[in-house]
Amino acid sequence: MTTSPEKILEQYWGFTSFRTPQKEIITCVLENRDAIALLPTGGGKSICFQVPALVKEGVCIVISPLIALMQDQVENLKRRDIKAVTIPSGSSQDEIVTLFDKIKFGRVKFLYLSPERLQSSLIQQKLKELNVNLVAIDEAHCISEWGHDFRPSYRNINVLKEILPEVNFIALTATANKKVLADISNNLQLTNHITFKKSFYRENLAYQIFKIEDKLDRLLQIFTKTKVPAIIYVNSRKKTEEIANFLKANQFKSTFYHAGLTVVEKQTAFKDWMTEKKPIIVATNAFGMGIDKPNVGLVIHYNLPTSIENYVQETGRAGRNEKKSFGVLLYNEHDIFLHKKQTENSIPSILEVKEVHKKLYQHFRIANGELLEETFSFNFFEFCKKYNFPVLKTDVILKLLVNYGILELNNSFNKKSTLKVIGTHYTVLNFSRSNTAFKNFINVLLRTYGGLFEDEIKINEFFLAKKASITSTQVIKNLEILEAQNLVEYNQANGNISLNFLLPREDDKTINRFSKEIKQFLFLKKEKAINFINFVTDNTVCRSVQLLAYFDEKATSPCGICDVCIGNKKRDTKNLSSEILALLKEKEQLSSKEISRLLNTFEKDILIHLQTLLSEDKITINNQNKFQLKI
């Protein structure tokens, strides 16, 4: 007797009913029809494929873009006593064969694969031998060049239609408009599918955007008033630590998270935040995928995200328990300038694409009309330096050339060097004392990278050189000497990547064949950046109305809780003047920031009352630029 979806939901997740439109999607999948599910962040996408896969006999293949996300989902399923696996990095052919035997005979229900893994002929052959009950494509917007996170490897997922012609597909995404949904459908060859869309409207989430110079002071104001679990997103690893330390110095329990931390450091930071030992976490966008914490009441963007899609996805991690929550974004004119500059520096022209493409063939001395079917060793940074190409734009151009099947690069493009201290604290300290030339370098090394004595840490020689005021060549030499002294284990990253040319050299002719699509992709990238800046700076239209329009939804009325709606309402008639006077009588002299913090009121509201009290000659400003009672 088949178990019902409701029984599966209660048995493994502890819920007695589905959210809209989860049940409809699950019914569609169980009827062996293809489906596209567009559910905003926190809408319960995973349940839409996990429940029907558990109802049916066989294994569900899940395509997912990030190793960390796959591992997170596998661990979540294992905690619910559901068998799930992924293929570990670096697995040999024999290990892969053994893993597939385990899947076949060990009643494994979920196999998580990256789209790159899927291109392996061994994996494709092994998939044919499995009893596959469903194919789920997570983050399906990556298929589309119109999507905000296009990945060329996602365009090849449709090979599964040939390998598993009888199996139905479900494509899931949290961010897609009509163009992206059409692209997903066409690429995956979904002919008889149903598209399910849940509105992006979040009635409990207040989008609030503030143009402000002193962001740190605003953080203090926010956390003085709001005592809920929070995420603060910043754009650099360094800032995560700096802002967490700033908050700690002001008695707010906080931690930080970024991709450069050790596994133990990440686990500790995550646990401290989840258990609310430290309810505030400051993080880069490496944090958040697969996070299931329903009572996050506040998401703050301290720096500007790159697109509306990223903003909605990250802000959507607040208020999953349906209680009122806040998405706060802080910005100033300098942020807008930097955002525009970064966009400009990362979007090449067709002429620049043609120039990089031509120089690649010249670099390897390939003649016109020639195609050498060999693998070349390619050093990206040396290439940029040789031809004076900007790194950011050249990186984008190489990805474009890969996207359009002109080149093939291996996956170790961003591989970093690693370091671990194997000597004791005493031997390292003793060496530092005996070799004064190394003293500063060792101090900088240990201060820059925490956990070197416990774990193998990824390091950046160029960054170390800058901090130690020496050349990167000297950094490498120093590390090699420390390794020779048995104080460290240093694995220097090979700056080379393997490159294959897939088309014969025809220079401009090659790019001209793809120029229309490339221009479209670059135009879209620029348009997304412009759309986001327009959204941030438009304080005349309700934030929810703007976001819904971007995702092809029409809002019937303003949300009433965003910064624009609140600003359009009549100002609070509460007179703070008497409270300000009483405070100045007690404290004698205070700045506007100090008054706003003590009264738990935003500074802009305080300034209106201060201006009135000054005009009424009840207060004055002293030579320290502070307010005090008029004597």
Side-chain angles (χ1 to χ4, degrees), residues 423-467:
T424 65
H425 284 82
Y426 172 76
T427 55
V428 172
L429 191 63
N430 200 37
F431 181 83
S432 177
R433 283 174 181 158
S434 308
N435 299 270
T436 50
F438 279 82
K439 190 173 182 181
N440 179 57
F441 176 71
I442 289 172
N443 284 341
V444 168
L445 182 67
L446 297 178
R447 278 202 309 269
T448 306
Y449 297 103
L452 281 168
F453 284 92
E454 292 83 31
D455 288 292
E456 191 176 63
I457 305 291
K458 288 178 183 175
I459 63 162
N460 183 321
E461 289 90 344
F462 295 98
F463 181 61
L464 263 177
K466 194 175 173 185
K467 293 202 80 170

Side-chain angles (χ1 to χ4, degrees), residues 377-403:
S377 180
F378 176 57
N379 188 302
F380 173 71
F381 294 105
E382 278 180 14
F383 174 75
C384 291
K385 190 177 178 182
K386 179 179 176 179
Y387 294 105
N388 199 25
F389 288 144
V391 169
L392 200 59
K393 269 189 186 173
T394 309
D395 183 24
V396 172
I397 291 168
L398 283 181
K399 284 170 183 169
L400 281 169
L401 298 176
V402 170
N403 287 359

Side-chain angles (χ1 to χ4, degrees), residues 86-102:
T86 186
I87 300 174
S89 298
S91 295
S92 67
Q93 189 164 319
D94 287 346
E95 286 168 337
I96 289 170
V97 170
T98 303
L99 182 74
F100 271 89
D101 286 342
K102 178 186 171 185

Side-chain angles (χ1 to χ4, degrees), residues 413-596:
F413 201 179
N414 295 315
K415 198 172 180 183
K416 290 186 177 177
S417 301
T418 61
L419 186 74
K420 184 180 181 182
V421 177
I422 55 173
T424 65
H425 284 82
Y426 172 76
T427 55
V428 172
L429 191 63
N430 200 37
F431 181 83
S432 177
R433 283 174 181 158
S434 308
N435 299 270
T436 50
F438 279 82
K439 190 173 182 181
N440 179 57
F441 176 71
I442 289 172
N443 284 341
V444 168
L445 182 67
L446 297 178
R447 278 202 309 269
T448 306
Y449 297 103
L452 281 168
F453 284 92
E454 292 83 31
D455 288 292
E456 191 176 63
I457 305 291
K458 288 178 183 175
I459 63 162
N460 183 321
E461 289 90 344
F462 295 98
F463 181 61
L464 263 177
K466 194 175 173 185
K467 293 202 80 170
S469 301
I470 56 178
T471 65
S472 54
T473 306
Q474 188 61 51
V475 167
I476 293 165
K477 190 177 176 183
N478 286 356
L479 291 172
E480 286 171 347
I481 290 169
L482 291 175
E483 185 168 43
Q485 295 290 324
N486 289 319
L487 295 175
V488 302
E489 279 180 359
Y490 173 48
N491 296 304
Q492 187 183 353
N494 180 358
N496 294 357
I497 56 176
S498 64
L499 181 150
N500 293 82
F501 291 96
L502 303 178
L503 297 175
R505 179 177 177 181
E506 292 183 298
D507 292 349
D508 289 1
K509 274 187 183 179
T510 302
I511 303 303
N512 288 341
R513 284 203 293 273
F514 301 103
S515 63
K516 188 180 175 185
E517 291 92 338
I518 291 172
K519 281 178 183 174
Q520 174 189 291
F521 175 78
L522 296 173
F523 169 77
L524 183 70
K525 195 174 168 73
K526 194 170 185 178
E527 191 180 52
K528 284 183 182 296
I530 292 167
N531 284 338
F532 184 69
I533 294 300
N534 289 343
F535 165 71
V536 169
T537 55
D538 185 352
N539 56 9
T540 61
V541 179
C542 164
R543 300 292 176 192
S544 282
V545 169
Q546 289 186 62
L547 291 175
L548 292 173
Y550 182 79
F551 290 108
D552 303 314
E553 278 190 62
K554 285 184 181 177
T556 51
S557 59
C559 70
I561 57 173
C562 71
D563 62 294
V564 176
C565 290
I566 290 170
N568 289 338
K569 288 176 184 176
K570 285 185 178 178
R571 292 288 172 196
D572 188 8
T573 56
K574 179 186 172 187
N575 192 341
L576 291 170
S577 295
S578 57
E579 291 183 43
I580 292 170
L581 290 170
L583 197 58
L584 289 175
K585 190 175 180 181
E586 180 192 345
K587 304 284 186 183
E588 293 187 1
Q589 58 172 18
L590 292 166
S591 68
S592 58
K593 284 190 175 109
E594 288 168 335
I595 294 169
S596 64

Side-chain angles (χ1 to χ4, degrees), residues 103-237:
I103 294 165
K104 204 186 300 183
F105 304 113
R107 301 191 65 81
V108 170
K109 292 300 295 181
F110 295 92
L111 168 61
Y112 280 77
L113 287 174
S114 69
E116 288 82 11
R117 278 276 189 197
L118 195 55
Q119 305 319 305
S120 156
S121 54
L122 172 64
I123 301 286
Q124 290 177 13
Q125 181 54 45
K126 286 293 167 187
L127 287 175
K128 289 178 187 176
E129 298 170 13
L130 296 180
N131 174 23
V132 178
N133 63 25
L134 178 65
V135 171
I137 298 103
D138 205 6
E139 308 294 335
H141 56 268
C142 295
I143 287 171
S144 176
E145 291 181 359
W146 296 101
H148 71 288
D149 197 15
F150 172 55
R151 288 167 68 101
S153 53
Y154 257 69
R155 303 289 283 183
N156 302 320
I157 292 172
N158 53 22
V159 72
L160 283 170
K161 276 284 179 187
E162 299 167 30
I163 298 169
L164 306 165
E166 304 301 317
V167 179
N168 57 318
F169 280 45
I170 177 169
L172 306 111
T173 177
T175 47
N177 55 24
K178 285 177 185 173
K179 281 180 181 173
V180 174
L181 292 174
D183 217 2
I184 291 168
S185 168
N186 293 335
N187 181 265
L188 293 176
Q189 301 157 30
L190 308 181
T191 51
N192 187 28
H193 71 282
I194 302 176
T195 299
F196 298 89
K197 281 181 73 172
K198 186 175 182 179
S199 173
F200 279 84
Y201 180 56
R202 295 279 304 276
E203 63 178 353
N204 65 312
L205 182 55
Y207 298 104
Q208 299 191 338
I209 296 176
F210 300 113
K211 187 177 182 181
I212 188 165
E213 291 304 320
D214 194 341
K215 295 184 187 180
L216 290 173
D217 185 71
R218 180 53 63 94
L219 289 182
L220 296 182
Q221 289 184 41
I222 290 169
F223 289 117
T224 298
K225 290 180 75 171
T226 312
K227 311 290 184 187
V228 291
I231 306 171
I232 303 173
Y233 281 112
V234 296
N235 63 2
S236 75
R237 294 177 180 185

Side-chain angles (χ1 to χ4, degrees), residues 18-38:
F18 291 100
R19 294 185 209 166
T20 307
Q22 286 176 332
K23 183 63 192 292
E24 292 85 347
I25 296 169
I26 289 165
T27 301
C28 172
V29 172
L30 288 174
E31 288 172 354
N32 293 320
R33 294 189 64 177
D34 292 332
I36 297 177
L38 172 58

Side-chain angles (χ1 to χ4, degrees), residues 571 603-613:
R571 292 288 172 196
E603 192 180 0
K604 62 181 180 180
D605 297 325
I606 290 291
L607 288 170
I608 298 166
H609 292 277
L610 287 170
Q611 200 63 47
T612 304
L613 290 169

Side-chain angles (χ1 to χ4, degrees), residues 270-428:
F270 180 67
K271 187 180 177 184
D272 285 350
W273 181 69
M274 285 295 284
T275 58
E276 295 170 32
K277 181 182 175 183
K278 294 177 182 177
I280 303 167
I281 192 161
V282 190
T284 59
N285 60 8
F287 181 79
M289 280 287 189
I291 297 300
D292 186 18
K293 186 169 172 62
N295 69 331
V296 176
L298 177 64
V299 170
I300 298 174
H301 281 94
Y302 192 86
N303 300 110
L304 296 176
T306 54
S307 66
I308 287 176
E309 287 89 346
N310 285 335
Y311 171 75
V312 167
Q313 196 165 47
E314 288 160 11
T315 306
R317 290 174 186 133
R320 295 186 182 184
N321 57 0
E322 306 298 324
K323 292 184 179 177
K324 186 171 182 184
S325 53
F326 299 88
V328 174
L329 186 147
L330 307 175
Y331 82 101
N332 52 45
E333 285 301 330
H334 186 60
D335 292 322
I336 301 290
F337 170 78
L338 285 178
H339 194 276
K340 288 178 178 176
K341 195 77 182 164
Q342 193 172 8
T343 302
E344 188 183 307
N345 290 342
S346 66
I347 298 180
S349 65
I350 286 290
L351 279 175
E352 287 171 314
V353 173
K354 286 180 177 180
E355 186 63 15
V356 170
H357 172 248
K358 184 167 75 174
K359 288 289 191 278
L360 276 169
Y361 285 95
Q362 283 183 13
H363 184 64
F364 292 105
R365 299 194 174 106
I366 296 172
N368 265 321
E370 190 177 14
L371 173 63
L372 296 181
E373 294 184 3
E374 63 178 272
T375 299
F376 294 92
S377 180
F378 176 57
N379 188 302
F380 173 71
F381 294 105
E382 278 180 14
F383 174 75
C384 291
K385 190 177 178 182
K386 179 179 176 179
Y387 294 105
N388 199 25
F389 288 144
V391 169
L392 200 59
K393 269 189 186 173
T394 309
D395 183 24
V396 172
I397 291 168
L398 283 181
K399 284 170 183 169
L400 281 169
L401 298 176
V402 170
N403 287 359
Y404 293 100
I406 298 166
L407 300 178
E408 189 174 71
L409 300 171
N410 74 359
N411 289 332
S412 60
F413 201 179
N414 295 315
K415 198 172 180 183
K416 290 186 177 177
S417 301
T418 61
L419 186 74
K420 184 180 181 182
V421 177
I422 55 173
T424 65
H425 284 82
Y426 172 76
T427 55
V428 172

